[in-house]
mmCIF file with all atom_site columns, all heavy atoms in Angstrom:
data_model
loop_
_atom_site.group_PDB
_atom_site.id
_atom_site.type_symbol
_atom_site.label_atom_id
_atom_site.label_alt_id
_atom_site.label_comp_id
_atom_site.label_asym_id
_atom_site.label_entity_id
_atom_site.label_seq_id
_atom_site.pdbx_PDB_ins_code
_atom_site.Cartn_x
_atom_site.Cartn_y
_atom_site.Cartn_z
_atom_site.occupancy
_atom_site.B_iso_or_equiv
_atom_site.pdbx_formal_charge
_atom_site.auth_seq_id
_atom_site.auth_comp_id
_atom_site.auth_asym_id
_atom_site.auth_atom_id
_atom_site.pdbx_PDB_model_num
ATOM 1   N N   . ALA B 1 21  ? 123.883 -139.573 -20.356 1.00 0.00 ? 21  ALA B N   1
ATOM 2   C CA  . ALA B 1 21  ? 124.664 -139.165 -19.173 1.00 0.00 ? 21  ALA B CA  1
ATOM 3   C C   . ALA B 1 21  ? 123.741 -138.486 -18.168 1.00 0.00 ? 21  ALA B C   1
ATOM 4   O O   . ALA B 1 21  ? 122.817 -137.768 -18.554 1.00 0.00 ? 21  ALA B O   1
ATOM 5   C CB  . ALA B 1 21  ? 125.788 -138.218 -19.576 1.00 0.00 ? 21  ALA B CB  1
ATOM 6   N N   . GLU B 1 32  ? 109.960 -113.716 -15.528 1.00 0.00 ? 32  GLU B N   1
ATOM 7   C CA  . GLU B 1 32  ? 108.543 -113.367 -15.567 1.00 0.00 ? 32  GLU B CA  1
ATOM 8   C C   . GLU B 1 32  ? 107.818 -114.268 -16.571 1.00 0.00 ? 32  GLU B C   1
ATOM 9   O O   . GLU B 1 32  ? 108.276 -114.459 -17.698 1.00 0.00 ? 32  GLU B O   1
ATOM 10  C CB  . GLU B 1 32  ? 108.387 -111.883 -15.964 1.00 0.00 ? 32  GLU B CB  1
ATOM 11  C CG  . GLU B 1 32  ? 106.997 -111.311 -15.767 1.00 0.00 ? 32  GLU B CG  1
ATOM 12  C CD  . GLU B 1 32  ? 106.482 -111.466 -14.339 1.00 0.00 ? 32  GLU B CD  1
ATOM 13  O OE1 . GLU B 1 32  ? 107.277 -111.331 -13.380 1.00 0.00 ? 32  GLU B OE1 1
ATOM 14  O OE2 . GLU B 1 32  ? 105.263 -111.766 -14.190 1.00 0.00 ? 32  GLU B OE2 1
ATOM 15  N N   . ASP B 1 54  ? 120.876 -137.617 -35.998 1.00 0.00 ? 54  ASP B N   1
ATOM 16  C CA  . ASP B 1 54  ? 121.042 -136.230 -36.413 1.00 0.00 ? 54  ASP B CA  1
ATOM 17  C C   . ASP B 1 54  ? 120.426 -136.032 -37.795 1.00 0.00 ? 54  ASP B C   1
ATOM 18  O O   . ASP B 1 54  ? 121.111 -135.739 -38.763 1.00 0.00 ? 54  ASP B O   1
ATOM 19  C CB  . ASP B 1 54  ? 122.523 -135.855 -36.430 1.00 0.00 ? 54  ASP B CB  1
ATOM 20  C CG  . ASP B 1 54  ? 122.715 -134.342 -36.604 1.00 0.00 ? 54  ASP B CG  1
ATOM 21  O OD1 . ASP B 1 54  ? 121.748 -133.596 -36.376 1.00 0.00 ? 54  ASP B OD1 1
ATOM 22  O OD2 . ASP B 1 54  ? 123.830 -133.944 -36.976 1.00 0.00 ? 54  ASP B OD2 1
ATOM 23  N N   . ARG B 1 63  ? 120.046 -132.660 -29.153 1.00 0.00 ? 63  ARG B N   1
ATOM 24  C CA  . ARG B 1 63  ? 121.374 -132.124 -29.405 1.00 0.00 ? 63  ARG B CA  1
ATOM 25  C C   . ARG B 1 63  ? 122.398 -132.763 -28.474 1.00 0.00 ? 63  ARG B C   1
ATOM 26  O O   . ARG B 1 63  ? 122.134 -132.998 -27.294 1.00 0.00 ? 63  ARG B O   1
ATOM 27  C CB  . ARG B 1 63  ? 121.366 -130.603 -29.257 1.00 0.00 ? 63  ARG B CB  1
ATOM 28  C CG  . ARG B 1 63  ? 120.713 -129.952 -30.484 1.00 0.00 ? 63  ARG B CG  1
ATOM 29  C CD  . ARG B 1 63  ? 120.798 -128.434 -30.428 1.00 0.00 ? 63  ARG B CD  1
ATOM 30  N NE  . ARG B 1 63  ? 120.017 -127.903 -29.333 1.00 0.00 ? 63  ARG B NE  1
ATOM 31  C CZ  . ARG B 1 63  ? 119.911 -126.599 -29.064 1.00 0.00 ? 63  ARG B CZ  1
ATOM 32  N NH1 . ARG B 1 63  ? 120.568 -125.718 -29.824 1.00 0.00 ? 63  ARG B NH1 1
ATOM 33  N NH2 . ARG B 1 63  ? 119.177 -126.167 -28.074 1.00 0.00 ? 63  ARG B NH2 1
ATOM 34  N N   . GLU B 1 75  ? 104.441 -130.978 -10.480 1.00 0.00 ? 75  GLU B N   1
ATOM 35  C CA  . GLU B 1 75  ? 103.734 -130.077 -9.576  1.00 0.00 ? 75  GLU B CA  1
ATOM 36  C C   . GLU B 1 75  ? 104.464 -128.742 -9.576  1.00 0.00 ? 75  GLU B C   1
ATOM 37  O O   . GLU B 1 75  ? 105.696 -128.691 -9.459  1.00 0.00 ? 75  GLU B O   1
ATOM 38  C CB  . GLU B 1 75  ? 103.771 -130.700 -8.172  1.00 0.00 ? 75  GLU B CB  1
ATOM 39  C CG  . GLU B 1 75  ? 102.955 -129.988 -7.145  1.00 0.00 ? 75  GLU B CG  1
ATOM 40  C CD  . GLU B 1 75  ? 103.080 -130.705 -5.796  1.00 0.00 ? 75  GLU B CD  1
ATOM 41  O OE1 . GLU B 1 75  ? 102.567 -131.837 -5.695  1.00 0.00 ? 75  GLU B OE1 1
ATOM 42  O OE2 . GLU B 1 75  ? 103.711 -130.147 -4.880  1.00 0.00 ? 75  GLU B OE2 1
ATOM 43  N N   . LEU B 1 130 ? 95.444  -140.244 -27.398 1.00 0.00 ? 130 LEU B N   1
ATOM 44  C CA  . LEU B 1 130 ? 95.163  -139.351 -28.520 1.00 0.00 ? 130 LEU B CA  1
ATOM 45  C C   . LEU B 1 130 ? 95.696  -139.942 -29.821 1.00 0.00 ? 130 LEU B C   1
ATOM 46  O O   . LEU B 1 130 ? 95.052  -139.855 -30.873 1.00 0.00 ? 130 LEU B O   1
ATOM 47  C CB  . LEU B 1 130 ? 95.774  -137.968 -28.276 1.00 0.00 ? 130 LEU B CB  1
ATOM 48  C CG  . LEU B 1 130 ? 95.412  -136.916 -29.324 1.00 0.00 ? 130 LEU B CG  1
ATOM 49  C CD1 . LEU B 1 130 ? 93.910  -136.667 -29.363 1.00 0.00 ? 130 LEU B CD1 1
ATOM 50  C CD2 . LEU B 1 130 ? 96.157  -135.603 -29.074 1.00 0.00 ? 130 LEU B CD2 1
ATOM 51  N N   . PRO B 1 144 ? 81.960  -148.293 -38.035 1.00 0.00 ? 144 PRO B N   1
ATOM 52  C CA  . PRO B 1 144 ? 81.419  -149.512 -37.418 1.00 0.00 ? 144 PRO B CA  1
ATOM 53  C C   . PRO B 1 144 ? 81.307  -150.635 -38.457 1.00 0.00 ? 144 PRO B C   1
ATOM 54  O O   . PRO B 1 144 ? 80.931  -150.378 -39.605 1.00 0.00 ? 144 PRO B O   1
ATOM 55  C CB  . PRO B 1 144 ? 80.040  -149.054 -36.936 1.00 0.00 ? 144 PRO B CB  1
ATOM 56  C CG  . PRO B 1 144 ? 80.169  -147.590 -36.710 1.00 0.00 ? 144 PRO B CG  1
ATOM 57  C CD  . PRO B 1 144 ? 81.109  -147.112 -37.778 1.00 0.00 ? 144 PRO B CD  1
ATOM 58  N N   . GLY B 1 152 ? 101.917 -154.721 -33.081 1.00 0.00 ? 152 GLY B N   1
ATOM 59  C CA  . GLY B 1 152 ? 102.761 -154.291 -31.976 1.00 0.00 ? 152 GLY B CA  1
ATOM 60  C C   . GLY B 1 152 ? 101.952 -153.594 -30.916 1.00 0.00 ? 152 GLY B C   1
ATOM 61  O O   . GLY B 1 152 ? 102.264 -152.494 -30.464 1.00 0.00 ? 152 GLY B O   1
ATOM 62  N N   . ALA B 1 155 ? 101.253 -149.787 -25.702 1.00 0.00 ? 155 ALA B N   1
ATOM 63  C CA  . ALA B 1 155 ? 100.460 -148.742 -25.073 1.00 0.00 ? 155 ALA B CA  1
ATOM 64  C C   . ALA B 1 155 ? 99.413  -148.191 -26.038 1.00 0.00 ? 155 ALA B C   1
ATOM 65  O O   . ALA B 1 155 ? 98.208  -148.210 -25.758 1.00 0.00 ? 155 ALA B O   1
ATOM 66  C CB  . ALA B 1 155 ? 101.386 -147.628 -24.581 1.00 0.00 ? 155 ALA B CB  1
ATOM 67  N N   . ILE B 1 159 ? 95.070  -149.550 -26.653 1.00 0.00 ? 159 ILE B N   1
ATOM 68  C CA  . ILE B 1 159 ? 93.966  -148.584 -26.574 1.00 0.00 ? 159 ILE B CA  1
ATOM 69  C C   . ILE B 1 159 ? 93.221  -148.525 -27.917 1.00 0.00 ? 159 ILE B C   1
ATOM 70  O O   . ILE B 1 159 ? 91.976  -148.523 -27.956 1.00 0.00 ? 159 ILE B O   1
ATOM 71  C CB  . ILE B 1 159 ? 94.493  -147.178 -26.198 1.00 0.00 ? 159 ILE B CB  1
ATOM 72  C CG1 . ILE B 1 159 ? 95.166  -147.190 -24.823 1.00 0.00 ? 159 ILE B CG1 1
ATOM 73  C CG2 . ILE B 1 159 ? 93.371  -146.145 -26.246 1.00 0.00 ? 159 ILE B CG2 1
ATOM 74  C CD1 . ILE B 1 159 ? 94.217  -147.254 -23.650 1.00 0.00 ? 159 ILE B CD1 1
ATOM 75  N N   . ALA B 1 179 ? 104.037 -164.216 -25.433 1.00 0.00 ? 179 ALA B N   1
ATOM 76  C CA  . ALA B 1 179 ? 102.795 -164.925 -25.100 1.00 0.00 ? 179 ALA B CA  1
ATOM 77  C C   . ALA B 1 179 ? 102.018 -164.164 -24.035 1.00 0.00 ? 179 ALA B C   1
ATOM 78  O O   . ALA B 1 179 ? 100.786 -164.104 -24.066 1.00 0.00 ? 179 ALA B O   1
ATOM 79  C CB  . ALA B 1 179 ? 103.122 -166.338 -24.614 1.00 0.00 ? 179 ALA B CB  1
ATOM 80  N N   . PRO B 1 210 ? 90.299  -164.489 -41.291 1.00 0.00 ? 210 PRO B N   1
ATOM 81  C CA  . PRO B 1 210 ? 90.051  -165.225 -42.543 1.00 0.00 ? 210 PRO B CA  1
ATOM 82  C C   . PRO B 1 210 ? 89.237  -164.422 -43.560 1.00 0.00 ? 210 PRO B C   1
ATOM 83  O O   . PRO B 1 210 ? 89.351  -164.665 -44.763 1.00 0.00 ? 210 PRO B O   1
ATOM 84  C CB  . PRO B 1 210 ? 89.297  -166.479 -42.078 1.00 0.00 ? 210 PRO B CB  1
ATOM 85  C CG  . PRO B 1 210 ? 88.854  -166.202 -40.677 1.00 0.00 ? 210 PRO B CG  1
ATOM 86  C CD  . PRO B 1 210 ? 89.776  -165.180 -40.109 1.00 0.00 ? 210 PRO B CD  1
ATOM 87  N N   . PRO B 1 252 ? 117.808 -150.589 -44.410 1.00 0.00 ? 252 PRO B N   1
ATOM 88  C CA  . PRO B 1 252 ? 116.350 -150.465 -44.498 1.00 0.00 ? 252 PRO B CA  1
ATOM 89  C C   . PRO B 1 252 ? 115.688 -151.814 -44.745 1.00 0.00 ? 252 PRO B C   1
ATOM 90  O O   . PRO B 1 252 ? 116.267 -152.701 -45.370 1.00 0.00 ? 252 PRO B O   1
ATOM 91  C CB  . PRO B 1 252 ? 116.151 -149.534 -45.694 1.00 0.00 ? 252 PRO B CB  1
ATOM 92  C CG  . PRO B 1 252 ? 117.392 -149.658 -46.503 1.00 0.00 ? 252 PRO B CG  1
ATOM 93  C CD  . PRO B 1 252 ? 118.496 -149.992 -45.554 1.00 0.00 ? 252 PRO B CD  1
ATOM 94  N N   . MET B 1 281 ? 91.788  -133.609 -28.631 1.00 0.00 ? 281 MET B N   1
ATOM 95  C CA  . MET B 1 281 ? 92.098  -133.928 -27.237 1.00 0.00 ? 281 MET B CA  1
ATOM 96  C C   . MET B 1 281 ? 90.879  -133.830 -26.298 1.00 0.00 ? 281 MET B C   1
ATOM 97  O O   . MET B 1 281 ? 90.603  -134.795 -25.566 1.00 0.00 ? 281 MET B O   1
ATOM 98  C CB  . MET B 1 281 ? 93.259  -133.052 -26.747 1.00 0.00 ? 281 MET B CB  1
ATOM 99  C CG  . MET B 1 281 ? 93.752  -133.376 -25.343 1.00 0.00 ? 281 MET B CG  1
ATOM 100 S SD  . MET B 1 281 ? 94.607  -134.987 -25.204 1.00 0.00 ? 281 MET B SD  1
ATOM 101 C CE  . MET B 1 281 ? 96.329  -134.483 -25.224 1.00 0.00 ? 281 MET B CE  1
ATOM 102 N N   . GLU B 1 283 ? 87.661  -134.004 -26.790 1.00 0.00 ? 283 GLU B N   1
ATOM 103 C CA  . GLU B 1 283 ? 86.690  -135.062 -27.094 1.00 0.00 ? 283 GLU B CA  1
ATOM 104 C C   . GLU B 1 283 ? 87.227  -136.427 -26.644 1.00 0.00 ? 283 GLU B C   1
ATOM 105 O O   . GLU B 1 283 ? 86.495  -137.233 -26.056 1.00 0.00 ? 283 GLU B O   1
ATOM 106 C CB  . GLU B 1 283 ? 86.444  -135.048 -28.606 1.00 0.00 ? 283 GLU B CB  1
ATOM 107 C CG  . GLU B 1 283 ? 85.393  -136.022 -29.085 1.00 0.00 ? 283 GLU B CG  1
ATOM 108 C CD  . GLU B 1 283 ? 85.383  -136.088 -30.609 1.00 0.00 ? 283 GLU B CD  1
ATOM 109 O OE1 . GLU B 1 283 ? 85.996  -135.206 -31.261 1.00 0.00 ? 283 GLU B OE1 1
ATOM 110 O OE2 . GLU B 1 283 ? 84.751  -137.031 -31.130 1.00 0.00 ? 283 GLU B OE2 1
ATOM 111 N N   . ALA B 1 313 ? 114.893 -147.594 -18.789 1.00 0.00 ? 313 ALA B N   1
ATOM 112 C CA  . ALA B 1 313 ? 113.466 -147.731 -19.098 1.00 0.00 ? 313 ALA B CA  1
ATOM 113 C C   . ALA B 1 313 ? 113.235 -147.567 -20.600 1.00 0.00 ? 313 ALA B C   1
ATOM 114 O O   . ALA B 1 313 ? 112.504 -148.339 -21.224 1.00 0.00 ? 313 ALA B O   1
ATOM 115 C CB  . ALA B 1 313 ? 112.659 -146.679 -18.330 1.00 0.00 ? 313 ALA B CB  1
ATOM 116 N N   . GLU B 1 321 ? 110.010 -154.592 -23.393 1.00 0.00 ? 321 GLU B N   1
ATOM 117 C CA  . GLU B 1 321 ? 109.889 -155.191 -22.059 1.00 0.00 ? 321 GLU B CA  1
ATOM 118 C C   . GLU B 1 321 ? 108.739 -154.609 -21.238 1.00 0.00 ? 321 GLU B C   1
ATOM 119 O O   . GLU B 1 321 ? 108.460 -155.083 -20.136 1.00 0.00 ? 321 GLU B O   1
ATOM 120 C CB  . GLU B 1 321 ? 111.218 -155.010 -21.296 1.00 0.00 ? 321 GLU B CB  1
ATOM 121 C CG  . GLU B 1 321 ? 112.311 -155.868 -21.900 1.00 0.00 ? 321 GLU B CG  1
ATOM 122 C CD  . GLU B 1 321 ? 113.697 -155.499 -21.407 1.00 0.00 ? 321 GLU B CD  1
ATOM 123 O OE1 . GLU B 1 321 ? 113.803 -154.625 -20.527 1.00 0.00 ? 321 GLU B OE1 1
ATOM 124 O OE2 . GLU B 1 321 ? 114.668 -156.092 -21.910 1.00 0.00 ? 321 GLU B OE2 1
#
Side-chain angles (χ1 to χ4, degrees):
Chain B
E32 192 56 38
D54 191 18
R63 284 185 294 181
E75 187 180 292
L130 186 62
I159 298 285
M281 185 69 100
E283 184 189 346
E321 291 167 4

